[in-house]
PDB file of all heavy atoms in Angstrom:
ATOM      1  N   THR A  50       6.828  -8.900  26.662  1.00 65.00           N
ATOM      2  CA  THR A  50       6.172 -10.148  26.343  1.00 65.00           C
ATOM      3  C   THR A  50       4.763 -10.027  26.767  1.00 65.00           C
ATOM      4  O   THR A  50       4.379  -9.308  27.645  1.00 65.00           O
ATOM      5  CB  THR A  50       6.855 -11.335  27.025  1.00 65.00           C
ATOM      6  OG1 THR A  50       6.630 -11.272  28.312  1.00 65.00           O
ATOM      7  CG2 THR A  50       8.401 -11.492  26.672  1.00 65.00           C
ATOM      8  N   ASN A  51       3.893 -10.905  26.101  1.00 71.00           N
ATOM      9  CA  ASN A  51       2.525 -11.079  26.411  1.00 71.00           C
ATOM     10  C   ASN A  51       1.745  -9.707  26.486  1.00 71.00           C
ATOM     11  O   ASN A  51       1.095  -9.271  27.404  1.00 71.00           O
ATOM     12  CB  ASN A  51       2.226 -11.784  27.827  1.00 71.00           C
ATOM     13  CG  ASN A  51       2.936 -13.192  27.697  1.00 71.00           C
ATOM     14  OD1 ASN A  51       2.857 -13.857  26.690  1.00 71.00           O
ATOM     15  ND2 ASN A  51       3.600 -13.626  28.882  1.00 71.00           N
ATOM     16  N   TRP A  52       2.064  -8.880  25.379  1.00 72.00           N
ATOM     17  CA  TRP A  52       1.565  -7.527  25.216  1.00 72.00           C
ATOM     18  C   TRP A  52      -0.014  -7.564  25.284  1.00 72.00           C
ATOM     19  O   TRP A  52      -0.665  -8.469  24.621  1.00 72.00           O
ATOM     20  CB  TRP A  52       2.105  -6.873  24.004  1.00 72.00           C
ATOM     21  CG  TRP A  52       1.528  -5.580  23.748  1.00 72.00           C
ATOM     22  CD1 TRP A  52       2.076  -4.400  23.961  1.00 72.00           C
ATOM     23  CD2 TRP A  52       0.445  -5.331  22.860  1.00 72.00           C
ATOM     24  NE1 TRP A  52       1.377  -3.374  23.572  1.00 72.00           N
ATOM     25  CE2 TRP A  52       0.342  -3.864  22.801  1.00 72.00           C
ATOM     26  CE3 TRP A  52      -0.535  -5.971  22.185  1.00 72.00           C
ATOM     27  CZ2 TRP A  52      -0.745  -3.146  22.057  1.00 72.00           C
ATOM     28  CZ3 TRP A  52      -1.503  -5.289  21.484  1.00 72.00           C
ATOM     29  CH2 TRP A  52      -1.526  -3.848  21.446  1.00 72.00           C
ATOM     30  N   LYS A  53      -0.586  -6.528  25.941  1.00 80.00           N
ATOM     31  CA  LYS A  53      -2.122  -6.471  25.874  1.00 80.00           C
ATOM     32  C   LYS A  53      -2.271  -4.952  25.856  1.00 80.00           C
ATOM     33  O   LYS A  53      -1.752  -4.248  26.640  1.00 80.00           O
ATOM     34  CB  LYS A  53      -2.721  -7.057  27.108  1.00 80.00           C
ATOM     35  CG  LYS A  53      -2.564  -8.690  27.264  1.00 80.00           C
ATOM     36  CD  LYS A  53      -3.270  -9.254  28.534  1.00 80.00           C
ATOM     37  CE  LYS A  53      -3.087 -10.732  28.487  1.00 80.00           C
ATOM     38  NZ  LYS A  53      -3.758 -11.295  29.684  1.00 80.00           N
ATOM     39  N   PRO A  54      -3.356  -4.512  25.039  1.00 75.00           N
ATOM     40  CA  PRO A  54      -3.700  -3.192  25.041  1.00 75.00           C
ATOM     41  C   PRO A  54      -4.461  -2.907  26.399  1.00 75.00           C
ATOM     42  O   PRO A  54      -5.009  -3.717  27.056  1.00 75.00           O
ATOM     43  CB  PRO A  54      -4.704  -3.136  23.831  1.00 75.00           C
ATOM     44  CG  PRO A  54      -5.267  -4.559  23.712  1.00 75.00           C
ATOM     45  CD  PRO A  54      -4.225  -5.437  24.113  1.00 75.00           C
ATOM     46  N   ASP A  55      -4.629  -1.633  26.650  1.00 70.00           N
ATOM     47  CA  ASP A  55      -5.389  -1.193  27.913  1.00 70.00           C
ATOM     48  C   ASP A  55      -6.726  -1.583  27.861  1.00 70.00           C
ATOM     49  O   ASP A  55      -7.384  -1.780  28.972  1.00 70.00           O
ATOM     50  CB  ASP A  55      -5.239   0.316  28.124  1.00 70.00           C
ATOM     51  CG  ASP A  55      -3.768   0.564  28.431  1.00 70.00           C
ATOM     52  OD1 ASP A  55      -2.959  -0.119  28.823  1.00 70.00           O
ATOM     53  OD2 ASP A  55      -3.402   1.861  28.112  1.00 70.00           O
ATOM     54  N   ASP A  56      -7.212  -1.725  26.759  1.00 64.00           N
ATOM     55  CA  ASP A  56      -8.681  -2.013  26.553  1.00 64.00           C
ATOM     56  C   ASP A  56      -8.967  -3.005  25.559  1.00 64.00           C
ATOM     57  O   ASP A  56      -8.168  -2.832  24.427  1.00 64.00           O
ATOM     58  CB  ASP A  56      -9.456  -0.659  26.231  1.00 64.00           C
ATOM     59  CG  ASP A  56     -10.997  -0.790  26.360  1.00 64.00           C
ATOM     60  OD1 ASP A  56     -11.646  -1.881  25.771  1.00 64.00           O
ATOM     61  OD2 ASP A  56     -11.626   0.093  26.878  1.00 64.00           O
ATOM     62  N   THR A  57      -9.915  -3.972  25.630  1.00 62.00           N
ATOM     63  CA  THR A  57      -9.984  -4.992  24.730  1.00 62.00           C
ATOM     64  C   THR A  57     -10.508  -4.435  23.318  1.00 62.00           C
ATOM     65  O   THR A  57     -10.366  -5.057  22.291  1.00 62.00           O
ATOM     66  CB  THR A  57     -10.976  -6.175  25.067  1.00 62.00           C
ATOM     67  OG1 THR A  57     -12.248  -5.502  25.512  1.00 62.00           O
ATOM     68  CG2 THR A  57     -10.407  -6.912  26.351  1.00 62.00           C
ATOM     69  N   ASP A  58     -11.299  -3.178  23.318  1.00 80.00           N
ATOM     70  CA  ASP A  58     -11.756  -2.608  22.186  1.00 80.00           C
ATOM     71  C   ASP A  58     -11.272  -1.185  22.260  1.00 80.00           C
ATOM     72  O   ASP A  58     -11.947  -0.266  22.428  1.00 80.00           O
ATOM     73  CB  ASP A  58     -13.223  -2.573  22.089  1.00 80.00           C
ATOM     74  CG  ASP A  58     -13.721  -2.213  20.771  1.00 80.00           C
ATOM     75  OD1 ASP A  58     -12.836  -1.960  19.809  1.00 80.00           O
ATOM     76  OD2 ASP A  58     -15.020  -2.133  20.486  1.00 80.00           O
ATOM     77  N   ILE A  59     -10.006  -1.009  22.177  1.00 89.00           N
ATOM     78  CA  ILE A  59      -9.210   0.289  22.529  1.00 89.00           C
ATOM     79  C   ILE A  59      -9.591   1.468  21.527  1.00 89.00           C
ATOM     80  O   ILE A  59      -9.610   2.445  21.888  1.00 89.00           O
ATOM     81  CB  ILE A  59      -7.722   0.011  22.466  1.00 89.00           C
ATOM     82  CG1 ILE A  59      -7.049   1.264  23.344  1.00 89.00           C
ATOM     83  CG2 ILE A  59      -7.073  -0.105  21.133  1.00 89.00           C
ATOM     84  CD1 ILE A  59      -5.635   0.952  23.627  1.00 89.00           C
TER      85      ILE A  59
END
Side-chain angles (χ1 to χ4, degrees):
T50 67
N51 300 323
W52 177 90
K53 294 180 180 179
D55 294 334
D56 191 312
T57 54
D58 192 5
I59 197 164

